[in-house]
Amino acid sequence: MVWTGTWVAERLGVELIGDEELPALLGLALRRNPKRAHLLVSSVLGKHVPQRPAVVYGSGLALGRRVRELLGDEEAARSVVLGYAETATALGHAVADGLGLAPYLHSTRRPVAGVARAGGFEESHSHATSHLLLPEDPKLLAGDGPLVLVDDEFSTGNTVLNTIRALHERYPRDRYVVVALVDMRSAADLGRLDAFATEIGARVDLIAGAAGTVRLPDGVLEKGQALVAEHERATPVPHPRAPREAPVRVELDWPAGLPDGGRHGFTPDHRDHLEEALPGMAGKLAEALGGRPATPGQAEETTTARGGAEQGGAEQGLQRPAARGEAEQGLQRPAARDGAEQGLQRPATQGGAEQGLQRPAARGGAQQPEQPLNRRAEQAGQASARPAAQGPAAQGGAQQAGQPEQAPDRPATPPAGPRPRPRILVLGFEELMYAPLRLGTALEDAGHDVRYSTTTRSPVLAVDDPGYAIRTRLVFPAHDDPADGPGERYAYNVAGAGFDAVVLVVDSTADTPALHAPDGLLAQLAAHIPRVVLAVIPSYTPTVTPTDSVTEAPERSSMLPEPLRGPAFSSYAPEEVGWLLQDLSDVELEAPTEEREEAIQSGGAHYAESLPVEYQPSERYQELFQAALESSAARMARAVGTVTETVLAERSARPVLVSLARAGTPVGVLMRRWAQARHGLDLPHYAVSIVRGRGIDANALRWLAAHHDPADVVFVDGWTGKGAITRELAEAIKEFEGFDPEIAVLADPGSCVRTYGTREDFLIPSACLNSTVSGLISRTVLRSDLVGPNDFHGAKFYRELAEADVSVAFLDAVAARFDEVAASVDTDVKELLATDRTPTWEGWAAVERISEEYGIHDVNLVKPGVGETTRVLLRRVPWKILAKRGAEADLAHVRLLAEQRGVPVEVVDELPYSCVGLIHPQYTRGATGADGKAVVSQ
């Protein structure tokens, strides 16, 4: 059979590498997402690909039992299982069932009035990123037992690490277990989990059903986006037929007080209650469907809707579940990459049967007698990890795992013998996955031919090709009044798949007029499937009772992730700085300098919407940097000490340093080091984005306000030029109570602030380079298609420049001079504290004068000071450089860059700065220097 990733692989050069069963577990598709174009489509998750409920449920059960073996019964009874919305809500619940002893909670994107948020985090590559944690019992996450985190795939690890970091800060514990259907980390990400565990001082284990990685060629994001644009106009939807009958509503008699899923928590008691009620609810569905289950022995003789006989019991490349009492023969566990799973050996089996894989264990630890559904689910879940069936049986019509089932062009001629069972689809709704899944397993256990999948908010391209994982797509409006507003929702591989009936399961919140509208989901289903049954489960409303016995940490900003830290993001040590940014490393943002300048000055783009190509310094320039560092390290150390001591004396005894990324970040790190070296203070330090004309990152301020007293926050930058950012910050934080707009800077030549290390315009070596002296982090990015209303601003981590990185060397060189300048710092601080430091804005006046004298008439094109002039030469299209007479000692690197760019340097008197960089005032392509000649970027 054709692998359902073939279409994407052939066109984009994407490769799936790893365990041999991966092609049976994963297909590939493309999606409309600016951060990651490809989508791994699981054949055993029950989201995009209709699959037998026993296979979906069994996959989670098997993983849950492996967790129990890892933890042991005592630790398993103290654990909590956390699943991720929307794709892994049922998987996580099944893992909790397999674990047998633990309560379950899943994240949600649906706020619920009256339920306090216990935390939240961000999923950077997802279509919808913000996750909430809304347990009914506030003590659910407050224990110190193991936390088991379940997702469908483990790739970069960002989502899991964001979650653990957020919860560990509030509810620290000693052990975490990460569970995924597939471990798809790249070689670069393999060490992150261990490094993270060391950082937080906890054990973090990983359990996965299979392992591998996706090899992505250069430019895959752009190629994928182009393919989506090309094919989206022709997205296949099989021709609808007139509905044969109106949808039927069935009353399930869902047990009163039983949660509809894990949004607010689901306990072992809830699980027992559901197990008792499932057979009765399945009977009501069967009655509404009007179909007859197969008689014993008939199932093996039926024919699929595709017209191919299920020879040998193989279907979708999966062996049929063994009959009750049969041993699980030959069910091998996929080995981890090193041959062992995090140092754990699987227990030996006897006679080929895997030990301990019974029905979900009783809470007392004893195994209950095996039941048909769970035994079938367990075996199906194990079979799902095997490759597609091979040989004659497979060739006789068996469908490969992950291959979406499509209706044949013409109905197959029914064979002689018993009538085929009706093909039933149980269709869940977005996060509501577990209840529909269990209804599906109950129908399946009663002998019905059932498949299961769910609707989703994730947009994916559909291509009607056997080598593509998403064959058809139904589009319909959201019908649960979502908090983020109306939008499209999708059901994949449903239309044209040959189903005779569909059971749509929604919660009562989603049973709205939009569901029943002419363009709603019910009408869409009725146009493609002969019989539609609607089952509505009551939306669980938690009963929240305030109690004095629970001590909760202050509410955190639950719509935002925890800060990014090195080494996963930046070359700085994790304790040096937390970046309140989102990682855009996989997005192509760089543009040639001339193109950026033309777009910026024409008004076609803002400078923060793209990045300049990173300047690669010549050997001569690197020598200048090293010379500048050696000559000015003591001067830097003195300024660092002076500004830090001033902050401690005037602002706060324990300030929260918040540097303006990225020029302020090395200064913030050095201030933190000074406070630690001189006073033993371990000051928190974060980096945030501020963009001229757009303001500071408001979400970063919200995060800071949720975690710290705003009065303790001290904003830090490297230097002032004309004071534009100082004014931008003051204006931006007016909406946020408690923050002080005063910036602390190393150098204030423009006389724009009160808190500074010096007002001399001297060479700060970190201004000489870009990312390679700033932790390998790019300038920040603010673009509407990448940064949503609940996102931090973005930036890139240039890992590929690691060999040229001098970030830590720069910090170490300056910090090494702390002791020798300590006495001078004490003197400077005493003088400063007794001095009138009211800003005169001398620099701003000089900039306005220069703008008029040189006919520029735009102060934004005048960049005063050594730091700003260096930026002009590295990132913009310079026109000319004004150099103060007598300031040659600090301008060697400026003169070298000007020489390389072909930019004239004009020596002037009476300049309050060492130099000023002028951006070409009327830039168009080719008009670059003062002589009008084009200059090629260096």
Side-chain angles (χ1 to χ4, degrees):
M1 300 297 294
V2 177
W3 173 47
T4 58
T6 304
W7 193 92
V8 174
E10 289 178 348
R11 286 160 178 79
L12 295 185
V14 174
E15 296 181 70
L16 192 65
I17 301 168
D19 294 345
E20 63 179 7
E21 61 267 28
L22 279 179
L25 296 175
L26 296 174
L28 291 173
L30 299 176
R31 59 181 177 176
R32 289 178 283 151
N33 187 309
K35 302 175 184 178
R36 196 169 85 170
H38 72 282
L39 177 70
L40 296 174
V41 180
S42 173
S43 65
V44 298
L45 183 63
K47 175 54 73 173
H48 303 89
V49 178
Q51 178 59 276
R52 288 166 42 210
V55 171
V56 178
Y57 189 48
S59 300
L61 281 177
L63 289 169
R65 289 177 175 123
R66 290 169 64 185
V67 175
R68 181 164 176 170
E69 292 171 7
L70 171 66
L71 295 176
D73 286 355
E74 183 177 346
E75 285 294 281
R78 299 175 61 241
S79 64
V80 176
V81 181
L82 175 62
Y84 287 89
E86 69 175 32
T87 56
T89 58
L91 174 64
H93 212 140
V95 168
D97 287 356
L99 194 57
L101 308 172
Y104 174 66
L105 177 73
H106 71 69
S107 67
T108 181
R109 296 187 177 100
R110 180 193 288 179
V112 179
V115 182
R117 298 169 178 174
F121 48 90
E122 204 71 0
E123 185 177 11
S124 58
H125 63 263
S126 174
H127 173 70
T129 58
S130 296
H131 292 247
L132 304 174
L133 298 178
L134 304 176
E136 177 178 17
D137 181 0
K139 295 181 292 185
L140 184 65
L141 294 172
D144 58 1
L147 181 63
V148 181
L149 302 102
V150 184
D151 208 354
D152 55 317
E153 68 174 89
F154 188 70
S155 49
T156 64
N158 287 338
T159 302
V160 168
L161 299 190
N162 280 339
T163 310
I164 295 177
R165 194 185 299 277
L167 292 176
H168 192 77
E169 182 175 327
R170 189 170 186 180
Y171 306 120
R173 60 189 77 224
D174 296 328
R175 192 165 191 183
Y176 299 87
V177 181
V178 179
V179 180
L181 288 172
V182 288
D183 172 10
M184 300 301 290
R185 289 175 293 171
S186 67
D189 290 319
L190 283 177
R192 291 184 63 192
L193 207 59
D194 290 339
F196 177 76
T198 300
E199 175 193 336
I200 66 172
R203 175 174 173 177
V204 183
D205 295 290
L206 173 64
I207 289 178
T213 191
V214 179
R215 182 175 295 165
L216 302 175
D218 293 339
V220 67
L221 179 61
E222 293 73 18
K223 292 178 182 177
Q225 291 171 337
L227 272 176
V228 170
E230 176 185 350
H231 289 271
E232 197 157 32
R233 291 184 294 273
T235 295
V237 177
H239 184 69
R241 57 192 173 200
R244 298 181 183 178
E245 55 187 63
V248 174
R249 181 186 292 266
V250 61
E251 298 299 330
L252 287 176
D253 290 338
W254 185 264
L258 181 66
D260 54 271
R263 179 179 287 114
H264 305 296
F266 201 94
T267 67
D269 283 337
H270 292 142
R271 185 179 304 124
D272 293 343
H273 199 180
L274 176 62
E275 294 289 346
E276 294 172 359
L278 276 174
M281 291 189 289
K284 292 181 178 294
L285 289 176
E287 183 179 348
L289 288 166
R292 298 179 300 171
T295 57
Q298 178 181 331
E300 286 74 14
E301 302 172 6
T302 58
T303 303
T304 70
R306 295 179 65 87
E310 298 183 67
Q311 299 187 18
E315 179 183 342
Q316 294 201 4
L318 305 170
Q319 291 188 4
R320 286 194 58 79
R324 277 180 281 169
E326 292 179 1
E328 288 183 327
Q329 299 293 329
L331 296 184
Q332 297 296 322
R333 176 77 58 194
R337 299 183 182 201
D338 299 328
E341 178 183 288
Q342 300 285 328
L344 300 173
Q345 297 291 332
R346 295 283 306 160
T349 59
Q350 298 179 4
E354 185 167 64
Q355 300 301 307
L357 297 181
Q358 305 293 327
R359 177 178 173 80
R363 279 167 275 158
Q367 299 286 351
Q368 296 183 8
E370 117 187 358
Q371 299 294 323
L373 167 62
N374 292 302
R375 185 59 172 170
R376 291 171 58 177
E378 172 61 37
Q379 292 179 333
Q382 291 300 308
S384 72
R386 291 195 295 273
Q390 305 293 325
Q395 297 169 7
Q399 182 79 4
Q400 180 184 350
Q403 178 86 14
E405 297 179 308
Q406 300 295 309
D409 294 332
R410 292 175 297 176
T413 301
R419 187 179 66 183
R421 294 175 295 171
R423 283 171 50 83
I424 300 167
L425 173 68
V426 176
L427 184 65
F429 152 65
E430 296 185 30
E431 294 177 9
L432 186 72
M433 295 184 69
Y434 179 73
L437 172 61
R438 297 310 313 278
L439 291 170
T441 56
L443 282 171
E444 192 175 26
D445 201 44
H448 294 273
D449 184 14
V450 185
R451 300 297 182 275
Y452 159 79
S453 65
T454 51
T455 66
T456 177
R457 57 167 52 210
S458 178
V460 185
L461 176 70
V463 177
D464 191 11
D465 187 285
Y468 189 81
I470 303 295
R471 300 286 296 275
T472 64
R473 179 176 77 183
L474 294 180
V475 184
F476 52 93
H479 52 88
D480 62 337
D481 296 324
D484 56 352
E488 291 182 345
R489 300 295 186 261
Y490 311 92
Y492 297 108
N493 294 319
V494 172
F499 292 112
D500 300 298
V502 57
V503 177
L504 174 63
V505 184
V506 302
D507 60 13
S508 55
T509 299
D511 186 21
T512 64
L515 176 66
H516 301 265
D519 61 343
L521 177 55
L522 282 173
Q524 296 267 17
L525 293 173
H528 294 279
I529 299 176
R531 186 166 183 78
V532 179
V533 174
L534 173 65
V536 180
I537 296 174
S539 297
Y540 183 66
T541 303
T543 302
V544 181
T545 304
T547 173
D548 295 331
S549 62
V550 179
T551 301
E552 291 195 84
E555 183 179 354
R556 58 176 60 252
S557 180
S558 57
M559 296 296 287
L560 295 167
E562 291 302 290
L564 301 174
R565 295 180 185 271
F569 188 82
S570 90
S571 59
Y572 292 135
E575 67 275 7
E576 301 266 35
V577 59
W579 302 84
L580 294 177
L581 299 169
Q582 62 167 315
D583 188 354
L584 299 180
S585 299
D586 295 332
V587 182
E588 189 67 36
L589 293 165
E590 290 76 12
T593 302
E594 288 77 16
E595 290 184 11
R596 293 184 72 247
E597 193 65 47
E598 185 173 22
I600 292 168
Q601 291 202 30
S602 67
H606 190 276
Y607 76 88
E609 295 177 351
S610 64
L611 292 174
V613 177
E614 278 288 303
Y615 171 72
Q616 298 300 306
S618 65
E619 183 176 348
R620 182 181 170 195
Y621 190 84
Q622 291 176 358
E623 292 173 355
L624 278 177
F625 169 80
Q626 292 298 333
L629 180 57
E630 291 174 10
S631 64
S632 63
R635 197 175 181 185
M636 276 276 299
R638 184 172 176 177
V640 167
T642 300
V643 69
T644 307
E645 295 295 343
T646 303
V647 166
L648 294 173
E650 292 189 333
R651 300 286 295 276
S652 172
R654 296 192 63 87
V656 176
L657 303 178
V658 178
S659 59
L660 304 182
R662 68 187 169 184
T665 305
V667 178
V669 174
L670 286 169
M671 290 176 66
R672 182 182 183 278
R673 287 192 179 190
W674 178 278
Q676 195 168 46
R678 292 296 305 277
H679 302 283
L681 297 176
D682 189 10
L683 300 182
H685 174 214
Y686 306 99
V688 303
S689 169
I690 187 168
V691 177
R692 179 173 50 79
R694 305 283 180 87
I696 197 168
D697 188 338
N699 287 321
L701 291 185
R702 294 187 185 101
W703 191 96
L704 290 167
H707 289 75
H708 300 282
D709 185 347
D712 289 332
V713 169
V714 176
F715 295 102
V716 176
D717 207 356
W719 56 84
T720 62
K722 55 183 174 288
I725 291 299
T726 304
R727 296 186 179 199
E728 190 83 44
L729 177 63
E731 185 65 29
I733 67 172
K734 286 180 178 179
E735 301 178 14
F736 295 87
E737 186 176 351
F739 289 98
D740 188 336
E742 178 75 19
I743 301 178
V745 299
L746 204 61
D748 179 36
S751 188
C752 304
V753 299
R754 291 187 71 259
T755 309
Y756 52 84
T758 179
R759 275 189 167 154
E760 297 177 1
D761 184 22
F762 74 100
L763 171 58
I764 299 174
S766 58
C768 296
L769 299 172
N770 283 331
S771 67
T772 52
V773 77
S774 305
L776 296 180
I777 300 301
S778 73
R779 207 207 61 241
T780 59
V781 174
L782 178 58
R783 206 171 81 189
S784 59
D785 62 326
L786 298 174
V787 179
N790 294 317
D791 294 334
F792 292 141
H793 295 187
K796 299 183 72 168
F797 176 25
Y798 290 116
R799 297 174 178 86
E800 65 275 16
L801 300 180
E803 291 186 3
D805 187 26
V806 294
S807 303
V808 176
F810 165 71
L811 298 174
D812 291 345
V814 175
R817 303 295 188 93
F818 283 170
D819 288 342
E820 73 180 67
V821 302
S824 299
V825 168
D826 291 341
T827 301
D828 291 344
V829 172
K830 288 179 182 178
E831 292 178 357
L832 276 177
L833 295 179
T835 302
D836 180 7
R837 290 170 280 136
T838 303
T840 65
W841 297 93
E842 175 187 3
W844 188 274
V847 166
E848 290 181 325
R849 175 176 54 80
I850 292 170
S851 175
E852 295 305 313
E853 286 182 2
Y854 284 83
I856 297 175
H857 308 299
D858 184 349
V859 293
N860 290 324
L861 300 182
V862 180
K863 301 295 183 180
V866 178
E868 293 302 306
T869 300
T870 304
R871 287 179 169 183
V872 169
L873 289 163
L874 292 176
R875 306 178 190 172
R876 305 293 292 272
V877 176
W879 181 35
K880 61 180 62 178
I881 304 299
L882 308 182
K884 183 178 180 179
R885 193 179 309 277
E888 286 78 8
D890 288 320
L891 301 183
H893 78 290
V894 170
R895 290 186 176 277
L896 176 59
L897 286 175
E899 177 185 321
Q900 292 175 339
R901 296 292 304 270
V903 178
V905 177
E906 181 179 328
V907 179
V908 298
D909 298 309
E910 298 180 1
L911 198 63
Y913 303 92
S914 296
C915 60
V916 175
L918 305 182
I919 297 172
H920 199 286
Q922 294 179 327
Y923 178 75
T924 55
R925 206 73 55 83
T928 308
D931 56 1
K933 295 181 179 178
V935 174
V936 179
S937 296
Q938 300 295 315

